[in-house]
Amino acid sequence: MAELVLTDERRGELLALLDDEQRLQVEHPKLAEYLAAAPSLRGTGDDQMDAAFDLRFIHYMADGTSTSANPYWEIVKPLVFEHEGRRVVNGGRPSGSVRLAYAETILQSVYAYAIPSSETVKWAAGFCAGRPLLELGAGRGYWAAQLSRSGMSVDAYDIDPPDAADNASFTRSPGQRSTWHPVGDLHAFEATDRDWSNTVLFLCWPPGWGNKMASEALARFERAGGRRLLFVGEPKGGKTGDDAFFEALSAGWDLAAEDAQFVSWWNVRDVAQGWVRR
């Protein structure tokens, strides 16, 4: 895969930023956090690969808005390898690296928990087949932005939209966008009329650990006549969704499609699935 090539102007901008520690801390604290910790953390063992990753990380985190519509994917794409039948971000190492795991936590906070590769965005659009998409628990709306760019009609909502409320998972930080797509709150969601039978419900990494958000959202969708679900997250027993959600899927839904090209971080087991109500 081709390495990132910077113009002389862009390289000069980044060097000026990195040479001014105070400015870096003020304007890009998330980036400063990573750069302070990374040298002491074990990498993949491939110094060239690690250096190329750091360059992409710095470039897109310092100006991801104007340089790419999907900086998350641009940052991790060269580190995707096949492992045990899955496409994972591990830098070619089955156990990844400590440094990559640290970068993962930052990228998930800045963008989204799951990785919207270009292949998965295309797959999701195909499953929806022109139907409008309703995302609940949208976080920063990063997935909503990618799906919208593919031509889909997307409405996104979150109990705590990061640009308007304190969101523990997606905190506001200088130098990073609070949202990538308009994200309404629950009041806006309740005030919206829609044809539920023709709408696809999208749940991307709904909270787990006993949180009932996923099962309650699915139950309401069912009562309203909804029939198609796009789910990105871990299977039952993982970090996403509650048991009642997965039990409801087993009882009343059929798995109609699964993205074989989906990309995960090596240390999670998330999938992208399309479900249709029986």
Side-chain angles (χ1 to χ4, degrees):
M1 185 171 292
E3 294 184 5
L4 175 66
V5 177
L6 300 180
T7 64
D8 290 342
E9 180 182 7
R10 180 59 176 159
R11 189 175 294 275
E13 291 172 352
L14 293 179
L15 286 174
L17 175 64
L18 297 178
D19 284 343
D20 190 335
E21 185 174 348
Q22 183 176 1
R23 178 188 164 205
L24 179 65
Q25 289 281 355
V26 171
E27 296 183 4
H28 300 281
K30 289 286 187 182
L31 177 56
E33 179 184 333
Y34 173 77
L35 293 175
S40 65
L41 302 176
R42 178 178 55 81
T44 63
D46 184 329
D47 292 343
Q48 185 175 356
M49 178 180 291
D50 290 341
F53 174 81
D54 285 350
L55 178 60
R56 293 191 305 277
F57 191 96
I58 294 167
H59 172 59
Y60 290 110
M61 287 281 288
D63 190 16
T65 301
S66 63
T67 55
S68 172
N70 192 355
Y72 193 2
W73 179 232
E74 296 295 340
I75 292 170
V76 304
K77 178 169 55 175
L79 273 67
V80 175
F81 289 80
E82 293 277 349
H83 181 65
E84 297 181 347
R86 302 169 61 227
R87 296 178 73 205
V88 295
V89 177
N90 66 2
R93 306 297 187 272
S95 58
S97 75
V98 178
R99 186 185 303 179
L100 194 54
Y102 183 62
E104 174 188 2
T105 63
I106 294 177
L107 293 173
Q108 287 178 327
S109 173
V110 169
Y111 301 119
Y113 283 104
I115 301 167
S117 71
S118 54
E119 296 92 340
T120 293
V121 170
K122 183 177 180 179
W123 171 86
F127 172 74
C128 294
R131 298 175 181 86
L133 191 76
L134 166 67
E135 182 177 11
L136 298 181
R140 296 196 189 280
Y142 192 82
W143 273 76
Q146 305 311 314
L147 294 168
S148 178
R149 286 185 65 250
S150 75
M152 296 181 62
S153 172
V154 183
D155 288 335
Y157 301 92
D158 196 280
I159 190 170
D160 293 314
D163 61 343
D166 292 332
N167 188 309
S169 298
F170 301 103
T171 56
R172 279 170 277 184
S173 177
Q176 307 301 327
R177 296 180 62 164
S178 294
T179 57
W180 289 78
H181 182 88
V183 178
D185 60 16
L186 295 189
H187 295 293
F189 168 65
E190 296 290 354
T192 303
D193 292 326
R194 67 184 70 250
D195 177 5
W196 291 94
S197 65
N198 191 47
T199 297
V200 180
L201 174 63
F202 180 32
L203 298 178
C204 183
W205 270 68
W209 316 114
N211 188 302
K212 297 180 180 179
M213 177 269 186
S215 60
E216 291 177 351
L218 185 65
R220 176 166 183 172
F221 187 60
E222 290 177 336
R223 290 194 299 270
R227 302 196 58 81
R228 296 178 76 87
L229 167 72
L230 181 62
F231 170 69
V232 175
E234 292 195 313
K236 184 178 180 180
K239 302 179 183 68
T240 65
D242 57 318
D243 287 348
F245 168 73
F246 292 105
E247 290 163 4
L249 287 181
S250 296
W253 295 73
D254 291 321
L255 179 60
E258 185 162 349
D259 179 20
Q261 297 296 306
F262 184 74
V263 174
S264 300
W265 289 97
W266 83 95
N267 51 4
V268 297
R269 303 292 299 185
D270 52 350
V271 295
Q273 297 176 332
W275 292 79
V276 177
R277 197 173 183 190
R278 294 186 196 128

